Amino acid sequence: MMLKIENLRIVREGKEILKNVNFEIAPQEIHLVLGINGSGKTTLAQAIMGIYPCEGKILFEGEDITHLSVWERARKGITLAFQEPARFEGLSVKDYLMVSAKNKSLNRLEEVIKMVGLPRNILFQEVGDNLSGGERKRVELASVLLMEPKLAILDEPDSGIDMLSCKLISEVIERMKSMGTSVMLITHSEDMINIADRATILCAGKVVASGERDEIKRLFKYSPCPLKR
Amino acid sequence: MNEFIKNEYERLVKYYESAGGNTKALLSKDYASMVINGNKVLAKNSTKEIIIEAEKIEDGVYAHIRIKKGYKSKNPVHLCFGMLPREGRQYIRTEIFAEEESEVKFIAHCIFPNAVKVEHIMDSNVKVGKGAKVEYEEVHFHGKEGGVKVIPKTRAIVGEGGMYNSTFVIKSGRAGFVDIDYEVRLGEYAKSMLLTKIYATGNDLIKANESVILEGAHSSGVIKTRMALRDKAKSEVIGKTIGLGAYSRGHVDCTEIIMDDAEAIASPVVMANNPKAKVTHEAAIGSVDKKQLLTLMARGLTEEEAIDVIVGGLLK
Ligand SMILES: Nc1ncnc2c1ncn2[C@@H]1O[C@H](COP(=O)(O)OP(=O)(O)OP(=O)(O)O)[C@@H](O)[C@H]1O
Ligand SMILES: [Mg+2]
């Protein structure tokens, strides 16, 4: 397994946000995480990245990484794209992408920028307030692509992206998979759901189902969240 | 040039070059320039349209720079103010007069590489004529000791439709003690932007008191401060814009990142006595943004590396 989560529990400000979460992501799998607002998807994503302390176990390629810091996990090949990416004053898109890029050639940067549907000259703009929400999300995706991670955790990569471009983003994620990256994909969009191989439903901080994408999708439509917090 | 001066000049120019200064320009007849070490003018060059005069005064140097009416200089004026010894006091009083419709950019390199106890005091009066544009970029290169006191004072008056922009940056070394005192008065439709970027460490103390007085109608000014402070460094920033003219616009924008035991005080002051003026401010002091940090760490940077990227961007 690429990633194995065992009995994960997270408490924040005295509130149990994730309860006894178990699930797995296989190599080169696009694993969808479904759940209504507030069900704990973002918390789970950030916990895997190492942002919150947690109880339970996180295994990455068989190794226990539960006690590793964020950057140690990143250096093992895990990365996360935030639902609302940060903005950086004074940092150009190019400088920002250089931080994560494995291949730091300008050619490669340009190629990836094009792949996520951005114009070349955006490289020289600031990763600040001047970028639109959608542009910022695309830059984030480019940054993840350039890192060539083993596991990419994408928290709603399509939110803020216009309808026409969602297909492009889906293609980019499929491309990641074909390059050997496993993806944990959080999304609410129907189109994007269809690129997933397997899926897990979170509800009130618990896994209520995990399995093949179509089966889980049906289940989610029928009963998105059977439990109460 | 006598042998002694030549020697001193060459040593300073070597530092100037390694600090990113344009040595060719300094030696070229096509560029107006001036090189001062301590309280001694080592070299100066005027062009037909940019006239530089300098003389020794009791406690320092007095320099007068005039840009002739209508002259739009393609080449920047290069100034190099150095203090190579470990100790000493440099006092430079300048008067800059950009005549009507002229345009010029100054690039001033201030170089104190060996400072243990060095004082650099600048006292500038700038007059920007009607429709003229002046940019003054001051870049500092300090040594590692932190033994520099930098005390720049500028009084600028900008005529109708004119512009005065200034940048103050400490590019390398310890900031030391900095006490900036700038005041700009703007006429009708005149514009100004004052930008300060400093990285302070150790027990550095940074004071900045900057004012833009929007006297003329439709004048506009921005005071922008970016600082990062570590260790026990302290800063006190006062950014003041005063809206007197109708439709004048002023903005004070201060962002400071503090780490370790550093302390920062920022007081944006906005004042207006004209109901048609509009002056605004934003000030943010805080530790490094958590989300920025986590984002970079999720790409494999350690916390220290991530801080360097974030601070590097802010002060770029
Ligand atoms: N800092 C916090 N402290 C305490 N509780 C929090 C904190 N942040 C989020 N929560 C709670 O944790 C729960 C899960 O939030 P989370 O952001 O993981 O949900 P989500 O599934 O990603 O929702 P959405 O679809 O809206 O993005 C919510 O009930 C939320 O109120
Ligand atoms: Mg979320």
Side-chain angles (χ1 to χ4, degrees):
Chain A
M1 274 299 137
M2 179 59 71
L3 184 80
K4 193 158 192 259
I5 306 280
E6 292 178 2
N7 301 321
L8 194 75
R9 177 171 179 263
I10 288 191
V11 178
R12 295 183 70 189
E13 289 163 27
K15 200 169 126 197
E16 195 176 28
I17 314 267
L18 292 181
K19 303 165 199 173
N20 199 28
V21 168
N22 289 282
F23 83 105
E24 296 178 345
I25 300 179
Q28 268 192 293
E29 168 180 293
I30 299 180
H31 194 106
L32 179 71
V33 177
L34 289 171
I36 59 169
N37 293 141
S39 55
K41 304 179 297 296
T42 294
T43 307
L44 175 61
Q46 300 192 359
I48 297 170
M49 193 69 243
I51 293 173
Y52 306 121
C54 60
E55 290 168 36
K57 230 182 205 178
I58 304 172
L59 300 168
F60 182 63
E61 294 186 306
E63 186 192 347
D64 187 351
I65 60 161
T66 320
H67 301 289
L68 295 189
S69 67
V70 174
W71 64 270
E72 286 168 322
R73 293 180 201 209
R75 290 193 184 175
K76 293 209 175 287
I78 305 177
T79 197
L80 162 73
F82 282 96
Q83 188 169 350
E84 300 282 345
R87 303 200 175 242
F88 295 85
E89 181 176 342
L91 209 62
S92 69
V93 170
K94 178 169 163 259
D95 293 344
Y96 179 63
L97 294 180
M98 281 294 184
V99 164
S100 64
K102 216 171 185 176
N103 170 351
K104 296 191 189 294
S105 75
L106 192 59
N107 274 344
R108 177 65 185 147
L109 259 59
E110 286 174 355
E111 200 178 289
V112 168
I113 276 293
K114 200 169 157 193
M115 220 187 273
V116 299
L118 290 171
R120 186 186 171 277
N121 63 12
I122 205 153
L123 283 172
F124 306 102
Q125 287 183 35
E126 191 183 75
V127 194
D129 297 332
N130 54 317
L131 294 186
S132 77
E135 286 167 343
R136 180 64 193 93
K137 296 280 276 203
R138 288 164 199 246
V139 168
E140 206 54 17
L141 204 58
S143 163
V144 170
L145 267 167
L146 282 161
M147 187 175 159
E148 303 173 21
K150 290 180 187 164
L151 172 65
I153 306 166
L154 307 178
D155 197 351
E156 303 196 18
D158 52 326
S159 75
I161 302 280
D162 60 79
M163 248 163 35
L164 290 171
S165 308
C166 273
K167 195 163 162 345
L168 183 98
I169 301 298
S170 298
E171 282 166 13
V172 170
I173 295 170
E174 286 184 302
R175 192 125 162 202
M176 270 189 207
K177 171 182 162 178
S178 70
M179 280 167 16
T181 298
S182 302
V183 179
M184 176 171 144
L185 175 63
I186 300 172
T187 182
H188 295 288
S189 111
E190 177 81 29
D191 286 339
M192 202 159 269
I193 287 174
N194 291 325
I195 65 169
D197 302 300
R198 291 161 45 80
T200 292
I201 301 175
L202 268 188
C203 159
K206 282 187 178 159
V207 170
V208 291
S210 208
E212 293 305 316
R213 178 239 299 156
D214 285 335
E215 183 194 327
I216 297 296
K217 198 173 128 184
R218 253 195 313 275
L219 199 64
F220 187 65
K221 269 205 175 137
Y222 172 71
S223 165
C225 195
L227 309 172
K228 283 217 169 71
R229 273 260 181 222
Chain B
M1 234 184 238
N2 74 38
E3 208 42 46
F4 180 73
I5 289 193
K6 196 170 162 218
N7 199 328
E8 208 176 322
Y9 179 77
E10 276 164 5
R11 270 177 55 216
L12 183 55
V13 166
K14 212 170 268 164
Y15 277 111
Y16 177 75
E17 193 164 19
S18 62
N22 183 344
T23 316
K24 257 199 207 125
L26 214 55
L27 301 168
S28 161
K29 286 275 157 243
D30 301 330
Y31 286 76
S33 65
M34 178 163 62
V35 180
I36 297 177
N37 187 34
N39 288 322
K40 201 162 14 166
V41 181
L42 300 182
K44 68 179 171 66
N45 184 52
S46 298
T47 61
K48 220 173 90 202
E49 297 86 359
I50 302 176
I51 293 114
I52 302 183
E53 283 167 297
E55 66 185 78
K56 193 160 171 28
I57 50 175
E58 197 188 343
D59 51 349
V61 175
Y62 167 75
H64 186 275
I65 304 175
R66 181 165 78 97
I67 299 92
K68 283 194 183 164
K69 186 173 165 178
Y71 179 65
K72 296 183 174 27
S73 180
K74 280 197 282 300
N75 295 336
V77 176
H78 290 275
L79 304 173
C80 173
F81 303 136
M83 189 75 155
L84 297 182
R86 294 153 61 87
E87 296 190 9
R89 179 178 188 273
Q90 175 175 59
Y91 174 75
I92 302 172
R93 190 152 71 81
T94 59
E95 262 169 38
I96 296 176
F97 182 25
E99 294 182 355
E100 250 173 64
E101 302 295 334
S102 65
E103 280 181 34
V104 68
K105 176 175 181 169
F106 290 89
I107 301 177
H109 282 77
C110 299
I111 303 172
F112 318 111
N114 312 309
V116 177
K117 206 179 160 202
V118 162
E119 262 186 307
H120 164 78
I121 305 161
M122 290 284 295
D123 194 348
S124 309
N125 275 300
V126 181
K127 222 170 121 187
V128 180
K130 211 168 149 181
K133 293 190 167 79
V134 173
E135 268 180 80
Y136 193 94
E137 187 183 302
E138 181 166 336
V139 192
H140 281 242
F141 299 86
H142 294 183
K144 293 190 168 50
E145 302 275 354
V148 196
K149 275 191 179 172
V150 176
I151 308 175
K153 177 177 163 189
T154 298
R155 295 289 174 266
I157 296 177
V158 185
E160 186 185 329
M163 182 195 93
Y164 177 73
N165 288 354
S166 93
T167 310
F168 180 99
V169 185
I170 298 179
K171 262 267 159 65
S172 70
R174 284 272 306 277
F177 172 77
V178 179
D179 190 357
I180 295 172
D181 174 6
Y182 290 168
E183 184 188 289
V184 181
R185 295 179 171 269
L186 298 173
E188 263 181 47
Y189 289 97
K191 285 184 167 50
S192 182
M193 157 100 170
L194 306 177
L195 174 64
T196 307
K197 292 185 176 186
I198 297 174
Y199 185 44
T201 59
N203 58 354
D204 291 348
L205 171 60
I206 315 297
K207 292 182 178 187
N209 190 342
E210 297 175 275
S211 313
V212 172
I213 303 164
L214 306 153
E215 292 179 339
H218 298 277
S219 58
S220 64
V222 176
I223 301 171
K224 193 168 161 176
T225 312
R226 296 291 178 264
M227 283 190 204
L229 303 119
R230 294 204 83 140
D231 308 326
K232 290 183 176 322
K234 284 191 170 63
S235 75
E236 298 168 25
V237 177
I238 303 173
K240 207 188 280 180
T241 102
I242 304 174
L244 305 177
Y247 307 103
S248 60
R249 294 283 175 271
H251 186 62
V252 183
D253 170 7
C254 174
T255 303
E256 295 184 69
I257 294 180
I258 52 169
M259 290 162 274
D260 311 319
D261 296 320
E263 269 180 43
I265 303 173
S267 328
V269 179
V270 286
M271 270 165 67
N273 75 352
N274 188 317
K276 287 188 172 123
K278 188 174 173 183
V279 281
T280 52
H281 71 83
E282 53 188 312
I285 297 176
S287 57
V288 180
D289 182 75
K290 194 80 190 285
K291 183 152 252 173
Q292 292 179 344
L293 212 51
L294 287 172
T295 302
L296 295 174
M297 293 201 294
R299 299 289 132 76
L301 299 193
T302 63
E303 186 163 343
E304 278 302 307
E305 288 168 343
I307 288 173
D308 284 348
V309 170
I310 295 162
V311 168
L314 189 76
L315 299 181
K316 196 169 178 175

